[in-house]
Amino acid sequence: MLYIIGAVNSIPLDTLSHGAATLGVTLSPYMLDAFEKYASLLIAWNKKINLTAIVVPQHIVEKHFLDSLSLLTLLPQGPASIIDIGTGAGFPGIPLAIVRPDLAVTLVEATAKKAYFLKAIKTALGLRNVTIVIDRAETLAHQPRLRETFDVAVGRAVAELATLAELTLPFVRINGMVVAQKNLGSESIERATVAIETLGGIYEKEVAVPLPALADRRLIVIRKKTPTLAMYPRRVGVPAKKPIGN
Ligand code: SAH
């Protein structure tokens, strides 16, 4: 008997385009094609190197692509620079770069193997607005060309909020912002307040994501108000081991 199950790697493009529309962006055929290529390369490379536990096409669309695009509602309208710390297989940075060619996206990833995947994606998708850096945030944040230069810093599933603040706020210009993606009730903001304020930031707001599949998600916005002291971030590993204020 013959079962026709469709192309193994095809992703639900209707879910993707409807979700994106709800988040305020119309995906062009070119962008949809880029997401399809991204998904199939993710699935193929994931068999060789550990990139993600999420491999079901529907889940790739919801938990990787749309979850990344949920940040769109908070990003500046015009050209802006964004740094994605601990991007892994490119989330949230690559989906944002696909739909916003006017964003200059810097992807930071400590693991070289994952960075090779990011380079393959950048080439396959022709993403000229993406820069890939293989290093630790603790080291990079002390480089003058990167320190306090970005409009926005993000980092998904990298660390608890106090640690994430130390890995992201040093990169952000005054009046720029950090946006952290967290599950509702997963962390208390209070536990990170000392860290945020020590690093020159202030907790601004928390917003929900207007998609049923992402009903538990919250976007936490931290605004940069004053320069970060030169001693931050501390040495590699210290922000995670000993979060400020904890
Ligand atoms: N943001 C991706 C990956 C999360 S896993 C996603 O949401 O799917 C966390 C990633 O951050 C890992 O790939 C790890 O190598 C990287 N990472 C952790 N600490 C880091 C640091 N200090 N500097 C740079 N990358 C880091």
Side-chain angles (χ1 to χ4, degrees):
M1 202 177 289
L2 179 67
Y3 292 99
I4 299 173
I5 56 168
V8 182
N9 286 341
S10 68
I11 55 166
L13 292 178
D14 51 340
T15 306
L16 180 59
S17 53
H18 283 126
T22 305
L23 297 169
V25 59
T26 306
L27 299 183
S28 67
Y30 182 84
M31 290 171 187
L32 287 169
D33 183 58
F35 279 108
E36 272 196 304
K37 282 192 186 133
Y38 188 10
S40 67
L41 285 167
L42 180 66
I43 291 166
W45 278 62
N46 204 45
K47 291 174 181 149
K48 300 256 156 59
I49 64 170
N50 185 20
L51 291 168
T52 179
I54 296 167
V55 289
V56 176
Q58 178 82 21
H59 294 164
I60 290 177
V61 165
E62 289 172 354
K63 298 184 168 131
H64 281 326
F65 295 166
L66 291 173
D67 191 61
S68 298
L69 295 180
S70 71
L71 293 167
L72 286 172
T73 56
L74 290 169
L75 295 183
Q77 288 297 319
S81 57
I82 177 164
I83 187 163
D84 180 7
I85 302 299
T87 189
F91 305 113
I94 287 183
L96 295 172
I98 292 171
V99 307
R100 287 280 309 267
D102 60 335
L103 286 181
V105 181
T106 299
L107 304 175
V108 174
E109 174 49 51
T111 306
K113 271 199 268 183
K114 294 184 182 180
Y116 298 147
F117 171 74
L118 298 170
K119 286 181 181 172
I121 294 295
K122 176 180 155 84
T123 304
L125 274 49
L127 295 172
R128 281 180 296 177
N129 57 333
V130 167
T131 304
I132 297 152
V133 187
I134 312 175
D135 209 335
R136 306 278 309 194
E138 293 93 324
T139 310
L140 289 173
H142 290 285
Q143 293 187 5
R145 71 184 172 90
L146 295 173
R147 194 175 179 87
E148 296 191 325
T149 55
F150 291 88
D151 298 311
V152 183
V154 294
R156 190 185 79 157
V158 173
E160 67 172 284
L161 202 50
T163 301
L164 186 66
E166 187 168 352
L167 298 179
T168 52
L169 270 170
F171 290 101
V172 177
R173 65 164 171 82
I174 305 296
N175 290 325
M177 66 181 175
V178 169
V179 187
Q181 300 169 262
K182 296 287 179 188
N183 279 338
L184 180 62
S186 66
E187 281 184 45
S188 78
I189 308 281
E190 289 72 38
R191 201 171 130 79
T193 305
V194 172
I196 291 167
E197 292 178 2
T198 301
L199 294 156
I202 183 168
Y203 166 76
E204 188 170 283
K205 62 179 173 183
E206 189 177 308
V207 300
V209 176
L211 293 173
L214 299 173
D216 287 344
R217 297 297 261 164
R218 290 294 178 275
L219 307 177
I220 299 166
V221 178
I222 298 163
R223 186 70 54 185
K224 178 96 171 237
K225 286 291 175 194
T226 53
T228 303
L229 295 172
M231 66 175 285
Y232 298 112
R234 292 164 293 167
R235 289 194 327 276
V236 169
V238 180
K241 211 173 291 168
K242 229 188 153 315
I244 297 167
N246 286 273

